[in-house]
Amino acid sequence: MAISPSKAMNGERAVVLIFVLRVLSSLPLALLPHALSLSLLSLFSLVVEIRVDDSPSLFKTRPGASSGIILGAVTLPTVMLSKLIQLSRAVSLQQIEIGELEHMTMQFWAASACSCGVLIFLFIVTWCAANNKNPHFYCSVWDAKFSLSCVILYSAVCCISLATISHTGFNTALKLLWLLCHGFATVKLIQHLLSTFPFCASIGEANLVTSGLVLYFGDMLACTISKVCRLLIPPELVSIRYGIKRSEIGIVIQGVLLGLLIFSAVFKFLIHLWEYFWGANNSESRERKEIWRSLIFLTSLGFIMIAVAPSWMMIVLDFDVHPVLWIFQFIFSEPFKRLSLCIYWLVLIYASVLRFYNISKNSKIERILLRKYYHLLAVLMFLPALIYQPKFLDLAFGAALAVFLVLEIIRVWRIWPLGQLVHQFMSAFTDHRDSDLIIVSHFSLLLGCALPIWMSSGFNDRPLTPFAGILSLGIGDTMASMVGHKYGVLRWSKTGKKTIEGTAAGITSVLAACSVLLPLLASTGYFLTQHWFPIFIAVTTSGLLEAYTTQLDNAFIPLVFYSLLCL
């Protein structure tokens, strides 16, 4: 039985369709296979989402949110495709090497493989539930035939596209195997995430997070393998090249995140080992045990971040000095500007946290509105730095993300003496989208502002793209919530809380900010190539997505806005 159009469309799906069609309409003919693959991925994800939404939940997802499968499946591939469109303009102008375009092509197919793997997994789970004669599940033969056709055609298009950027058949087969590994790793990771952290994320949010992690660390792994092979194997025997020229700041951020990933695994192993040998000793006081856990935590963290992670950085990129010393040299290369910026940030953070923490404990203001003040704080902190010190802001975002990760580990493991204090402090700012298991709002706000800036490094002929997160979250989302809460009357849907007045305020405020920002950028030396009509389409589409989606908008809206600004 085919799916009726009225049943297939709702507000969120319609906005996602507009988003995808806008990107596809901007594609050059050379990227036609990528357009076909994204179309197939969108149709496949639509079928899977409808069947999952029509059935009782197979996973313990976040209450109050839809599955968000189509949005989670197409967002990351569409971001990569928008970046491909941007880089194709650079190739035609001979401003970048063809290798950068090929690298981004592999990133696009890797992101697509991650999403496709999750969709196949979800469809199989739904199909198996239907075949178990469960009356609450339904999956028709038409669904299976259509989905199988999409997967087969998608695979064929992928093979053809990879063959055009590969020199030999073996090279094509190796790339296909690499993509299969991405899909398999994403499926295993999303299963682990949904089972380990129940009720913390929707399927779409989990898909976006796991696909991003697999893509990011997969790129790190491929870069490491390529570098090690070049070091161990003489260049006259084999020539292995992967990726693009990487900046020192990018490598430092990757190394720090890799070190924290290794640290979490090592610390968990050491704790189990310590409890196995000494945990049975009940004569030891609880406080003494907590002190020992804290010492193990600090020792392992210090060793990995000072010795292990920098060693990886020095292997991948030939640093002349230790990466920690390089960071200090970078900061003190312009000491007055960068140290002044650090002092400015610390003063803002101290004043705002002290003020809003007391309000959150004693006031009846809704948490969702209280947290919007931190969105405005992000504008005050990041906007001046992005205009005048963009490279230092890149490094600062990496440092802030590392601090957030360490604090979250301390909170989850209750590391003495800060564990309980951090938990109490963070709980003052949580709402229905957070849980005691993991608090994600501050991560999503930080990454929502940082990712467009990081992805805009290198060639960028659209000067507004680095500001996508700051504009959409710091200004648009904040104004939409505040105006909608105070003055909103007309709601977009009977069940939702988002109002037309709030959405209009969010869209208008971002357009006003762009009208101020563009002349300011021109005065600092940017060559402006963006026109108002594409900007209007990008702002309106991201504003409508904020109005209709029940997903964590801090994660999706900046990426959608960034993709549309790249066109």
PDB file of all heavy atoms in Angstrom, residues 427-441:
ATOM      1  N   SER A 427      22.288  21.325  36.966  1.00  0.00           N
ATOM      2  CA  SER A 427      20.859  21.013  37.098  1.00  0.00           C
ATOM      3  C   SER A 427      20.000  22.263  37.178  1.00  0.00           C
ATOM      4  O   SER A 427      18.798  22.217  36.889  1.00  0.00           O
ATOM      5  CB  SER A 427      20.624  20.144  38.342  1.00  0.00           C
ATOM      6  OG  SER A 427      21.306  18.907  38.236  1.00  0.00           O
ATOM      7  N   ALA A 428      20.604  23.385  37.568  1.00  0.00           N
ATOM      8  CA  ALA A 428      19.838  24.621  37.665  1.00  0.00           C
ATOM      9  C   ALA A 428      19.432  25.161  36.306  1.00  0.00           C
ATOM     10  O   ALA A 428      18.559  26.023  36.215  1.00  0.00           O
ATOM     11  CB  ALA A 428      20.660  25.676  38.414  1.00  0.00           C
ATOM     12  N   PHE A 429      20.059  24.659  35.223  1.00  0.00           N
ATOM     13  CA  PHE A 429      19.773  25.189  33.893  1.00  0.00           C
ATOM     14  C   PHE A 429      19.170  24.146  32.963  1.00  0.00           C
ATOM     15  O   PHE A 429      19.045  24.381  31.769  1.00  0.00           O
ATOM     16  CB  PHE A 429      21.067  25.736  33.266  1.00  0.00           C
ATOM     17  CG  PHE A 429      21.713  26.815  34.078  1.00  0.00           C
ATOM     18  CD1 PHE A 429      22.774  26.527  34.918  1.00  0.00           C
ATOM     19  CD2 PHE A 429      21.256  28.120  34.025  1.00  0.00           C
ATOM     20  CE1 PHE A 429      23.375  27.520  35.676  1.00  0.00           C
ATOM     21  CE2 PHE A 429      21.844  29.108  34.790  1.00  0.00           C
ATOM     22  CZ  PHE A 429      22.911  28.819  35.613  1.00  0.00           C
ATOM     23  N   THR A 430      18.809  22.990  33.483  1.00  0.00           N
ATOM     24  CA  THR A 430      18.262  21.940  32.628  1.00  0.00           C
ATOM     25  C   THR A 430      16.768  22.125  32.450  1.00  0.00           C
ATOM     26  O   THR A 430      16.095  22.786  33.234  1.00  0.00           O
ATOM     27  CB  THR A 430      18.523  20.553  33.238  1.00  0.00           C
ATOM     28  OG1 THR A 430      17.935  20.499  34.547  1.00  0.00           O
ATOM     29  CG2 THR A 430      20.017  20.279  33.346  1.00  0.00           C
ATOM     30  N   ASP A 431      16.230  21.534  31.379  1.00  0.00           N
ATOM     31  CA  ASP A 431      14.786  21.501  31.170  1.00  0.00           C
ATOM     32  C   ASP A 431      14.401  20.099  30.707  1.00  0.00           C
ATOM     33  O   ASP A 431      15.151  19.134  30.917  1.00  0.00           O
ATOM     34  CB  ASP A 431      14.335  22.575  30.185  1.00  0.00           C
ATOM     35  CG  ASP A 431      14.949  22.407  28.795  1.00  0.00           C
ATOM     36  OD1 ASP A 431      15.569  21.356  28.536  1.00  0.00           O
ATOM     37  OD2 ASP A 431      14.810  23.327  27.974  1.00  0.00           O
ATOM     38  N   HIS A 432      13.244  19.969  30.041  1.00  0.00           N
ATOM     39  CA  HIS A 432      12.736  18.649  29.673  1.00  0.00           C
ATOM     40  C   HIS A 432      13.609  17.945  28.658  1.00  0.00           C
ATOM     41  O   HIS A 432      13.481  16.737  28.469  1.00  0.00           O
ATOM     42  CB  HIS A 432      11.313  18.789  29.113  1.00  0.00           C
ATOM     43  CG  HIS A 432      11.240  19.590  27.846  1.00  0.00           C
ATOM     44  ND1 HIS A 432      11.248  20.974  27.844  1.00  0.00           N
ATOM     45  CD2 HIS A 432      11.166  19.202  26.546  1.00  0.00           C
ATOM     46  CE1 HIS A 432      11.182  21.402  26.595  1.00  0.00           C
ATOM     47  NE2 HIS A 432      11.127  20.357  25.792  1.00  0.00           N
ATOM     48  N   ARG A 433      14.499  18.659  27.974  1.00  0.00           N
ATOM     49  CA  ARG A 433      15.337  18.031  26.959  1.00  0.00           C
ATOM     50  C   ARG A 433      16.614  17.431  27.530  1.00  0.00           C
ATOM     51  O   ARG A 433      17.371  16.789  26.819  1.00  0.00           O
ATOM     52  CB  ARG A 433      15.677  19.053  25.861  1.00  0.00           C
ATOM     53  CG  ARG A 433      14.483  19.473  25.046  1.00  0.00           C
ATOM     54  CD  ARG A 433      14.834  20.544  24.045  1.00  0.00           C
ATOM     55  NE  ARG A 433      15.273  21.780  24.689  1.00  0.00           N
ATOM     56  CZ  ARG A 433      15.578  22.893  24.026  1.00  0.00           C
ATOM     57  NH1 ARG A 433      15.488  22.924  22.702  1.00  0.00           N
ATOM     58  NH2 ARG A 433      15.971  23.982  24.675  1.00  0.00           N
ATOM     59  N   ASP A 434      16.870  17.656  28.810  1.00  0.00           N
ATOM     60  CA  ASP A 434      18.037  17.095  29.474  1.00  0.00           C
ATOM     61  C   ASP A 434      17.593  16.026  30.466  1.00  0.00           C
ATOM     62  O   ASP A 434      16.424  15.931  30.828  1.00  0.00           O
ATOM     63  CB  ASP A 434      18.819  18.183  30.216  1.00  0.00           C
ATOM     64  CG  ASP A 434      19.467  19.172  29.264  1.00  0.00           C
ATOM     65  OD1 ASP A 434      20.204  18.729  28.375  1.00  0.00           O
ATOM     66  OD2 ASP A 434      19.224  20.377  29.416  1.00  0.00           O
ATOM     67  N   SER A 435      18.549  15.210  30.890  1.00  0.00           N
ATOM     68  CA  SER A 435      18.281  14.195  31.905  1.00  0.00           C
ATOM     69  C   SER A 435      19.456  14.141  32.869  1.00  0.00           C
ATOM     70  O   SER A 435      20.491  14.775  32.644  1.00  0.00           O
ATOM     71  CB  SER A 435      18.071  12.816  31.250  1.00  0.00           C
ATOM     72  OG  SER A 435      19.291  12.339  30.718  1.00  0.00           O
ATOM     73  N   ASP A 436      19.292  13.376  33.943  1.00  0.00           N
ATOM     74  CA  ASP A 436      20.387  13.232  34.901  1.00  0.00           C
ATOM     75  C   ASP A 436      21.553  12.441  34.319  1.00  0.00           C
ATOM     76  O   ASP A 436      22.693  12.569  34.776  1.00  0.00           O
ATOM     77  CB  ASP A 436      19.886  12.543  36.176  1.00  0.00           C
ATOM     78  CG  ASP A 436      18.996  13.457  37.010  1.00  0.00           C
ATOM     79  OD1 ASP A 436      19.123  14.686  36.853  1.00  0.00           O
ATOM     80  OD2 ASP A 436      18.195  12.941  37.805  1.00  0.00           O
ATOM     81  N   LEU A 437      21.276  11.600  33.316  1.00  0.00           N
ATOM     82  CA  LEU A 437      22.336  10.786  32.732  1.00  0.00           C
ATOM     83  C   LEU A 437      23.338  11.638  31.977  1.00  0.00           C
ATOM     84  O   LEU A 437      24.546  11.504  32.142  1.00  0.00           O
ATOM     85  CB  LEU A 437      21.729   9.730  31.803  1.00  0.00           C
ATOM     86  CG  LEU A 437      20.927   8.614  32.483  1.00  0.00           C
ATOM     87  CD1 LEU A 437      20.321   7.693  31.441  1.00  0.00           C
ATOM     88  CD2 LEU A 437      21.817   7.829  33.431  1.00  0.00           C
ATOM     89  N   ILE A 438      22.836  12.512  31.113  1.00  0.00           N
ATOM     90  CA  ILE A 438      23.729  13.352  30.319  1.00  0.00           C
ATOM     91  C   ILE A 438      23.027  14.670  30.022  1.00  0.00           C
ATOM     92  O   ILE A 438      21.839  14.704  29.711  1.00  0.00           O
ATOM     93  CB  ILE A 438      24.145  12.645  29.013  1.00  0.00           C
ATOM     94  CG1 ILE A 438      25.182  13.484  28.257  1.00  0.00           C
ATOM     95  CG2 ILE A 438      22.950  12.323  28.138  1.00  0.00           C
ATOM     96  CD1 ILE A 438      25.819  12.751  27.095  1.00  0.00           C
ATOM     97  N   ILE A 439      23.749  15.770  30.177  1.00  0.00           N
ATOM     98  CA  ILE A 439      23.222  17.110  29.916  1.00  0.00           C
ATOM     99  C   ILE A 439      23.875  17.619  28.632  1.00  0.00           C
ATOM    100  O   ILE A 439      25.105  17.743  28.556  1.00  0.00           O
ATOM    101  CB  ILE A 439      23.505  18.050  31.086  1.00  0.00           C
ATOM    102  CG1 ILE A 439      22.824  17.513  32.358  1.00  0.00           C
ATOM    103  CG2 ILE A 439      23.023  19.455  30.795  1.00  0.00           C
ATOM    104  CD1 ILE A 439      23.122  18.323  33.606  1.00  0.00           C
ATOM    105  N   VAL A 440      23.055  17.913  27.628  1.00  0.00           N
ATOM    106  CA  VAL A 440      23.591  18.190  26.296  1.00  0.00           C
ATOM    107  C   VAL A 440      23.392  19.627  25.849  1.00  0.00           C
ATOM    108  O   VAL A 440      23.955  20.030  24.828  1.00  0.00           O
ATOM    109  CB  VAL A 440      22.943  17.249  25.254  1.00  0.00           C
ATOM    110  CG1 VAL A 440      23.242  15.801  25.574  1.00  0.00           C
ATOM    111  CG2 VAL A 440      21.424  17.472  25.183  1.00  0.00           C
ATOM    112  N   SER A 441      22.609  20.426  26.569  1.00  0.00           N
ATOM    113  CA  SER A 441      22.240  21.751  26.065  1.00  0.00           C
ATOM    114  C   SER A 441      23.457  22.648  25.872  1.00  0.00           C
ATOM    115  O   SER A 441      23.565  23.361  24.866  1.00  0.00           O
ATOM    116  CB  SER A 441      21.244  22.407  27.022  1.00  0.00           C
ATOM    117  OG  SER A 441      20.060  21.662  27.100  1.00  0.00           O
TER     118      SER A 441
END
